Amino acid sequence: MSIRPFQAQRIHAPRDFQSIPNQPICLEIGAGKGKHACAFAAQHPTQLLYAVERTREKFMAMQKQQQLLAADNLQLVHADAIAWTVHAVQPQQLQQVFILYPNPEPHNAAQRWLNMPFFEFLLSRMAAHATLTLASNISSYIDEAEQQLIDLWKLPYQRETVAQDAARTHFEVKYLARGEVCEQLVIQKPENYRTRFDQQAALQGQKPAGTDHAP
């Protein structure tokens, strides 16, 4: 499958957009009600996680969970993840990315994450050795993503079966309770991996996250 170049310049900033400091961060796309985001923040107090959710009802539920957690290393974002990432995240700023049980888009293969032009931009925002975890209960979704990693993106990865006692998201709990097999791809960006956006950033003199003082 060939993928057209992503045109970041055509993406409008989300409503009420606020920029973020250029420092190392983690990102969860489609954070839902925040079960994984809150657990991650509690377990990794030295890492800053931005949890992005577009649906208002789920975002409000996540806000309630954050208030109970009272963690200052978790930032919630109510926005479309693509638009927010384009405008907020700097080259090589992401240390970890989580896309856990996304919509499988059964009728629109072009909207699956590893089939999207945006995926190349997202890779450019990942630091060297950063990881992206993609989880699903649909084996054909993981099969297709794995093939894209081999044929198109040419990235190293591990394919893993999710443990039966895992409980990162509400979807994961439900699927495992039904006896379904959940799988994940843990993808790593190699040291010398370059996207077209990495090349553009180098030409423009943009520095990786952490090399400047935060504004």
Side-chain angles (χ1 to χ4, degrees), residues 64-85:
K64 292 179 181 178
Q65 293 299 314
Q66 183 196 34
Q67 290 168 0
L68 295 173
L69 179 65
D72 59 7
N73 64 324
L74 174 60
Q75 297 293 323
L76 308 186
V77 180
H78 183 207
D80 175 81
I82 292 177
W84 184 84
T85 301

Side-chain angles (χ1 to χ4, degrees), residues 105-130:
E105 301 288 352
H107 305 298
N108 191 355
Q111 290 298 310
R112 297 170 196 154
W113 287 103
L114 271 72
N115 297 344
M116 297 171 65
F118 168 73
F119 192 72
E120 183 178 9
F121 183 89
L122 181 62
L123 290 173
S124 77
R125 269 44 196 167
M126 293 170 59
H129 309 298

Side-chain angles (χ1 to χ4, degrees), residues 9-90:
Q9 71 279 6
R10 294 191 175 184
I11 304 296
H12 296 291
R15 181 181 301 178
D16 302 322
F17 172 75
Q18 295 182 349
S19 61
I20 65 173
N22 187 14
Q23 65 189 58
I25 64 170
C26 301
L27 171 65
E28 182 170 0
I29 292 175
K33 298 180 180 179
K35 183 175 176 62
H36 172 263
C38 289
F40 181 91
Q43 294 165 9
H44 305 277
T46 63
Q47 298 187 53
L48 175 59
L49 174 67
Y50 281 82
V52 183
E53 174 56 45
R54 180 175 58 185
T55 306
R56 179 172 179 79
E57 180 181 355
K58 291 180 180 178
F59 178 78
M60 293 178 66
M62 181 163 57
Q63 279 186 315
K64 292 179 181 178
Q65 293 299 314
Q66 183 196 34
Q67 290 168 0
L68 295 173
L69 179 65
D72 59 7
N73 64 324
L74 174 60
Q75 297 293 323
L76 308 186
V77 180
H78 183 207
D80 175 81
I82 292 177
W84 184 84
T85 301
V86 166
H87 288 273
V89 183
Q90 299 300 312

Side-chain angles (χ1 to χ4, degrees), residues 21-200:
N22 187 14
Q23 65 189 58
I25 64 170
C26 301
L27 171 65
E28 182 170 0
I29 292 175
K33 298 180 180 179
K35 183 175 176 62
H36 172 263
C38 289
F40 181 91
Q43 294 165 9
H44 305 277
T46 63
Q47 298 187 53
L48 175 59
L49 174 67
Y50 281 82
V52 183
E53 174 56 45
R54 180 175 58 185
T55 306
R56 179 172 179 79
E57 180 181 355
K58 291 180 180 178
F59 178 78
M60 293 178 66
M62 181 163 57
Q63 279 186 315
K64 292 179 181 178
Q65 293 299 314
Q66 183 196 34
Q67 290 168 0
L68 295 173
L69 179 65
D72 59 7
N73 64 324
L74 174 60
Q75 297 293 323
L76 308 186
V77 180
H78 183 207
D80 175 81
I82 292 177
W84 184 84
T85 301
V86 166
H87 288 273
V89 183
Q90 299 300 312
Q92 302 182 49
Q93 188 173 5
L94 299 173
Q95 308 300 303
Q96 292 187 70
V97 181
F98 300 96
I99 307 177
L100 305 178
Y101 304 94
N103 184 338
E105 301 288 352
H107 305 298
N108 191 355
Q111 290 298 310
R112 297 170 196 154
W113 287 103
L114 271 72
N115 297 344
M116 297 171 65
F118 168 73
F119 192 72
E120 183 178 9
F121 183 89
L122 181 62
L123 290 173
S124 77
R125 269 44 196 167
M126 293 170 59
H129 309 298
T131 59
L132 186 154
T133 301
L134 174 71
S136 179
N137 64 317
I138 301 173
S139 60
S140 60
Y141 186 99
I142 296 293
D143 289 342
E144 180 186 69
E146 181 178 29
Q147 202 61 49
Q148 288 290 73
L149 290 172
I150 296 169
D151 295 339
L152 178 62
W153 304 114
K154 303 186 186 307
L155 285 163
Y157 67 92
Q158 294 290 328
R159 182 169 180 167
E160 302 169 349
T161 299
V162 175
Q164 281 297 117
D165 59 352
R168 291 175 295 184
T169 76
H170 292 90
F171 283 123
E172 189 165 77
V173 171
K174 179 175 70 173
Y175 297 147
L176 292 173
R178 293 197 307 218
E180 297 183 27
V181 175
C182 296
E183 294 182 279
Q184 65 183 23
L185 297 170
V186 181
I187 306 157
Q188 186 176 72
K189 182 179 179 180
E191 178 76 36
N192 296 317
Y193 190 88
R194 294 291 181 270
T195 69
R196 284 168 288 190
F197 297 100
D198 288 303
Q199 295 164 2
Q200 290 173 11

